[in-house]
Amino acid sequence: MTAKDSRAAGLAALASLVADETRAACLLALLDGRAWTAGELARHAGVAASTLSEHLGKLVAGGLLAEERQGRHRYVRLADVRVAQLVEDLAAQVPVAAVRPRSLRESSSRSAMARGRTCYDHLAGRLGIAVTDALTSRGLLRQDTGFALTDAGVEWFGTAGIPLDRSVRRPLARACLDWTERRPHLAGAAGAALCRHALDVGWCVRIGSERAVRVTPSGEHELFELLGIEAAGLG
C-alpha cells in the first residue's frame, strides 16, 4: 500500500468513527470540555450502558477520546483541542434547517445553546460572536489576515485581569466557525482564557446539562464596561 493509500485508509477509518449517531452524540456532548462518566453519556445518547461502552471503546482506540478511571467510574473526555476543533468544524457543516427539534424541551435547549454556549474551552453562539465582534471593532482582534490579537488586544487582556498562557503550543487566537451563527468566533489560547475567566468570576453560568451558558447581571455590566456590548445583543 502506498503512502497515499495509507492516508486514505486512515481518513476513512476516522470518518467511520464519527459516522454513527450515538458516537456523534457523545462527541458533541463532550464539547463542553468536561469529563463525563459512561453512565451519563449513555443517558444522554439514550442507549444502554453496554451499548455505549462499546462505542466509547472505539472512540478511545481511535484517539478521539481519552479515558481515566476513578474507583468504579469510567470517565471520558475529548482527547485534545484538535479533536474538539474537528467535531465543531464538522457540526458547522450541518444545515440548521435539516435538524428539527423533536420536542418543546429540545427546542428550548437549542435556543439556549444558540444564545450562548461553550465550544470546548471558548465561548460560542451569539455571546461568542458578540465578544468577537466587539474585540474586532475596538482594534483588539484582527480578522482581515486570519485571527490575531493586536498589541492593544494583548494589553487589553492584561488590563482586564485575564491572564494569557503563552507557553501552550496552540495559537493565541484562532477562528472557529460557529455552527449556529455561521460566522467565526474567537478560539485559541485567548478564547480559552476569556471563557475560563467568564465562568470563574461569574460573568456566565452554565445552565442545564448541555453546554449552554447564561450571562449574569454582573457579566452584562462587565461586558458593557470592557467591550461596550449591550445586554440586548446577548439575547
Side-chain angles (χ1 to χ4, degrees):
M1 179 177 288
T2 66
K4 181 178 179 180
D5 291 335
S6 178
R7 288 195 301 271
L11 179 58
L14 175 62
S16 70
L17 285 175
V18 184
D20 176 274
E21 189 171 351
T22 296
R23 293 196 288 274
C26 292
L27 292 169
L28 287 170
L30 291 166
L31 274 176
D32 68 357
R34 296 178 289 184
W36 289 46
T37 66
E40 288 170 338
L41 282 173
R43 289 190 293 273
H44 175 80
V47 298
S50 57
T51 300
L52 196 280
S53 180
E54 181 179 345
H55 285 297
L56 292 183
K58 292 180 179 179
L59 290 170
V60 171
L64 297 183
L65 297 186
E67 70 173 333
E68 57 185 69
R69 294 184 180 273
Q70 293 185 8
R72 296 180 301 168
H73 294 293
R74 177 192 190 189
Y75 290 88
V76 294
R77 65 171 70 245
L78 296 182
D80 53 38
V81 68
R82 292 175 300 174
V83 174
Q85 181 180 345
L86 171 66
V87 175
E88 186 74 10
D89 287 348
L90 287 174
Q93 303 308 312
V94 180
V96 175
V99 185
R100 299 185 180 278
R102 293 168 291 186
S103 65
L104 178 60
R105 180 178 180 180
E106 184 176 337
S107 178
S108 298
S109 174
R110 189 172 300 174
S111 295
M113 292 271 281
R115 283 193 298 272
R117 65 183 182 277
T118 55
C119 173
Y120 190 58
D121 62 359
H122 55 272
L123 297 172
R126 290 195 290 277
L127 170 60
I129 293 296
V131 170
T132 301
D133 285 349
L135 289 169
T136 304
S137 65
R138 290 176 171 239
L140 308 176
L141 174 71
R142 294 190 60 178
Q143 297 190 41
D144 54 344
T145 56
F147 269 40
L149 285 186
T150 63
D151 290 341
V154 173
E155 182 179 347
W156 178 89
F157 272 82
T159 302
I162 306 174
L164 291 173
D165 186 356
R166 310 291 290 273
S167 65
V168 294
R169 296 184 63 182
R170 64 185 298 191
L172 189 57
R174 179 181 67 79
C176 180
L177 181 61
D178 196 292
W179 62 265
T180 52
E181 296 300 303
R182 304 299 178 178
R183 295 175 53 203
H185 56 241
L186 175 64
L194 182 56
C195 178
R196 183 167 56 251
H197 182 79
L199 291 169
D200 286 347
V201 301
W203 292 358
C204 299
V205 292
R206 296 185 185 274
I207 55 177
S209 58
E210 300 284 350
R211 294 183 283 140
V213 297
R214 174 177 57 81
V215 180
T216 64
S218 65
E220 292 179 354
H221 173 77
E222 292 300 323
L223 288 173
F224 178 76
E225 289 295 315
L226 291 169
L227 290 170
I229 300 175
E230 298 280 356
L234 301 173

